[in-house]
Amino acid sequence: MTDAAQSGEQQGYEETAFTAERIPRQAPPPPKGTLGMLGDAFDMARLPWGNYVGVNPSEFEYEYLGSWYREYNYMGEDDYHDYSMINEVRWSKFVDENVGLMYRFFRFWFVFWTHLLSFIGPGKKKGGGWFISGIVAVCTILFLFAADTILAALTPLAIVVAVCGICTVLRRLYETQSIRFYKSNKNWSNDIAFCRRSGLVKTFRGNFPFYEFDAFIEMAADMKGNQRHTLKVRHRYPYHSPHPNKSVKGPLEFTFSTDTGSIAERYAMWDMLSRFMDVSQPLPDIPRLEPFRHLDPTTRAFDDAGKRGRPATYWRDLYAKVDEKELNRLRDEHHQKVNAAPWGSRPDLMAQSVPGYEDSYTAEPEDVNAYAHAPTKNVRFVERPAAASSDDVSDQHDSQR
């Protein structure tokens, strides 16, 4: 174990804290096809444990997206710690809102219609308002020949453009001002979360060690054949984590979403979650965690040794002066970095601790994004090499630090 991890263990990490260097011996996994509703038919890959790449996902709320900075500025550092989805202690997966059902009902439809009809879409792309206005504009051209006056022909288009414009303004206000209601009605739970200092995953079904969970890329297709890929983090032993309601079937699992279709982004998400939970590693260097780096023992030792290579307020200074266009450019550059990272066919550290574990996955393509169009003749699938010994893994982690 590294000096930083040993120091951290003495200063606040619990004995159960997770490190990839000391995963205990565990029971064999259940046979394939026994994991619940979807089984394994849609699981294309089980992602490897350990052998971190050290690259964070570029989408969602982690890098190069400004929503975190608005929250941080409005709340201040102290309140932001408690009301943030992720801090140095836990990565919460459940939010408990202190609001009534009527508020939730109206908010749902408000968000639905303003986002559907807005001229601004996700990532500042064109929204549905352009599509709807375009259809009405084409109909208007045809209606010109039948209308009594030009004004009558243009009235429907004017109404649609006005409604979409209002929805655009309301959506923008919701995105920038909804944070003012955040502290009064929303709180991320400490009880449903991935907990770094204890190494436990807290759930409705009980608390379980992080090393009992596996990550899968799950594929689903719609009626048109379009594929959707999701990262699922699933408990390996479903007979130890049944749902309290006997009528509810299915394994204990968590979904981690990203905004792009890139499968490599899902690999990056698992890599980041694993490093977040591994107390031998510093916290992932992402904007949402920067205000709390000094509160985590391993990360504080890492930064004090000058290994971060960035100022203590790197992300806050960047977002204070950058505009949306520059953020988009940085995000695109980082997305290319994620896609180029060596995700495919790495050794799996868990194979040393779980008998028969290597039988619960299939071969990966060298380029994991090839999953999106496999099988084809141009995709090269390779087996994972054997995992290194624990001593070799320790040496590898030390060299990375």
Side-chain angles (χ1 to χ4, degrees), residues 181-257:
F181 303 97
Y182 195 102
K183 288 170 57 180
S184 62
N185 66 19
K186 182 183 285 188
N187 185 26
W188 288 96
S189 172
N190 293 326
D191 298 323
I192 311 296
F194 289 75
C195 303
R196 175 175 170 91
R197 295 202 172 185
S198 66
L200 297 177
V201 181
K202 295 184 176 181
T203 78
F204 287 118
R205 306 190 191 186
N207 301 333
F208 305 94
F210 177 60
Y211 53 73
E212 290 187 358
F213 287 77
D214 294 321
F216 294 84
I217 300 294
E218 186 176 88
M219 186 274 286
D222 60 23
M223 297 297 291
K224 297 180 180 180
N226 299 316
Q227 294 183 9
R228 182 179 68 256
H229 304 98
T230 307
L231 174 65
K232 299 282 189 177
V233 178
R234 180 181 302 156
H235 191 228
R236 189 183 308 123
Y237 307 106
Y239 43 83
H240 289 318
S241 54
H243 197 280
N245 185 347
K246 301 296 184 181
S247 64
V248 178
K249 305 298 181 182
L252 170 61
E253 65 180 13
F254 294 90
T255 299
F256 288 80
S257 302

Side-chain angles (χ1 to χ4, degrees), residues 6 21-22 48 92 99 111 125 135 172 186 192 252 260 265 280 300 302 309 323 327 375:
Q6 291 174 339
E21 302 167 12
R22 55 179 191 189
S92 181
V99 294
V111 172
K125 298 178 182 178
I135 293 178
R172 185 59 180 165
K186 182 183 285 188
I192 311 296
L252 170 61
T260 71
E265 293 282 358
S280 72
R300 183 172 60 247
F302 182 86
D323 58 22
L327 282 179

Side-chain angles (χ1 to χ4, degrees), residues 8-23:
E9 192 172 58
Q10 297 171 359
Q11 298 180 45
Y13 299 136
E14 299 177 24
E15 291 185 1
T16 55
F18 168 77
T19 75
E21 302 167 12
R22 55 179 191 189
I23 299 174

Side-chain angles (χ1 to χ4, degrees), residues 13-64:
Y13 299 136
E14 299 177 24
E15 291 185 1
T16 55
F18 168 77
T19 75
E21 302 167 12
R22 55 179 191 189
I23 299 174
R25 191 75 172 174
Q26 300 164 73
K32 293 185 68 175
T34 62
L35 293 181
M37 292 183 295
L38 294 180
D40 296 281
F42 297 94
D43 292 333
M44 298 188 303
R46 178 178 56 72
L47 278 57
W49 276 89
N51 298 286
Y52 305 126
V53 175
V55 176
N56 301 317
S58 56
E59 295 291 340
F60 194 49
E61 296 181 291
Y62 303 106
E63 290 196 19
Y64 308 116

Side-chain angles (χ1 to χ4, degrees), residues 137-370:
V138 172
C139 294
T140 298
I141 295 175
L142 300 176
F143 190 54
L144 283 172
F145 300 99
D148 294 333
T149 64
I150 294 179
L151 179 62
L154 295 178
T155 297
L157 178 60
I159 293 174
V160 169
V161 171
V163 170
C164 291
I166 293 172
C167 287
T168 302
V169 173
L170 291 176
R171 172 174 178 161
R172 185 59 180 165
L173 288 173
Y174 177 81
E175 292 176 343
T176 58
Q177 303 300 319
S178 61
I179 186 61
R180 297 183 182 277
F181 303 97
Y182 195 102
K183 288 170 57 180
S184 62
N185 66 19
K186 182 183 285 188
N187 185 26
W188 288 96
S189 172
N190 293 326
D191 298 323
I192 311 296
F194 289 75
C195 303
R196 175 175 170 91
R197 295 202 172 185
S198 66
L200 297 177
V201 181
K202 295 184 176 181
T203 78
F204 287 118
R205 306 190 191 186
N207 301 333
F208 305 94
F210 177 60
Y211 53 73
E212 290 187 358
F213 287 77
D214 294 321
F216 294 84
I217 300 294
E218 186 176 88
M219 186 274 286
D222 60 23
M223 297 297 291
K224 297 180 180 180
N226 299 316
Q227 294 183 9
R228 182 179 68 256
H229 304 98
T230 307
L231 174 65
K232 299 282 189 177
V233 178
R234 180 181 302 156
H235 191 228
R236 189 183 308 123
Y237 307 106
Y239 43 83
H240 289 318
S241 54
H243 197 280
N245 185 347
K246 301 296 184 181
S247 64
V248 178
K249 305 298 181 182
L252 170 61
E253 65 180 13
F254 294 90
T255 299
F256 288 80
S257 302
T258 59
D259 293 340
T260 71
S262 168
I263 294 176
E265 293 282 358
R266 278 70 176 170
Y267 273 75
M269 184 74 74
W270 172 239
D271 194 84
M272 184 173 72
L273 175 63
S274 301
R275 286 181 284 115
F276 172 82
M277 291 296 291
D278 191 335
V279 297
S280 72
Q281 301 287 312
L283 289 170
D285 195 351
I286 59 175
R288 286 185 176 273
L289 284 173
E290 183 178 67
F292 320 130
R293 292 181 67 88
H294 65 287
L295 301 176
D296 180 74
T298 299
T299 309
R300 183 172 60 247
F302 182 86
D303 291 354
D304 289 346
K307 295 181 180 180
R308 184 188 181 194
R310 287 174 169 176
T313 57
Y314 169 80
W315 289 113
R316 280 165 281 181
D317 294 343
L318 172 67
Y319 279 83
K321 61 184 179 182
V322 74
D323 58 22
E324 192 67 32
K325 182 178 180 180
E326 179 66 7
L327 282 179
N328 289 335
R329 185 189 69 80
L330 292 171
R331 184 165 55 245
D332 290 342
E333 286 184 357
H334 189 78
H335 181 57
Q336 295 175 9
K337 179 181 178 181
V338 172
N339 284 333
W343 301 112
S345 304
R346 289 172 291 146
D348 195 332
L349 192 62
M350 192 62 69
Q352 295 181 330
S353 302
V354 179
Y357 192 71
E358 62 276 5
D359 298 329
S360 62
Y361 69 87
T362 56
E364 291 176 302
E366 283 187 317
D367 176 8
V368 296
N369 285 326

Side-chain angles (χ1 to χ4, degrees), residues 77-96:
E77 186 165 317
D78 292 339
D79 285 341
Y80 180 70
H81 178 276
D82 294 333
Y83 289 91
S84 175
M85 174 187 66
I86 181 173
N87 57 35
E88 85 288 354
V89 176
R90 56 97 180 110
W91 183 330
S92 181
K93 293 298 291 179
F94 180 76
V95 63
D96 182 20

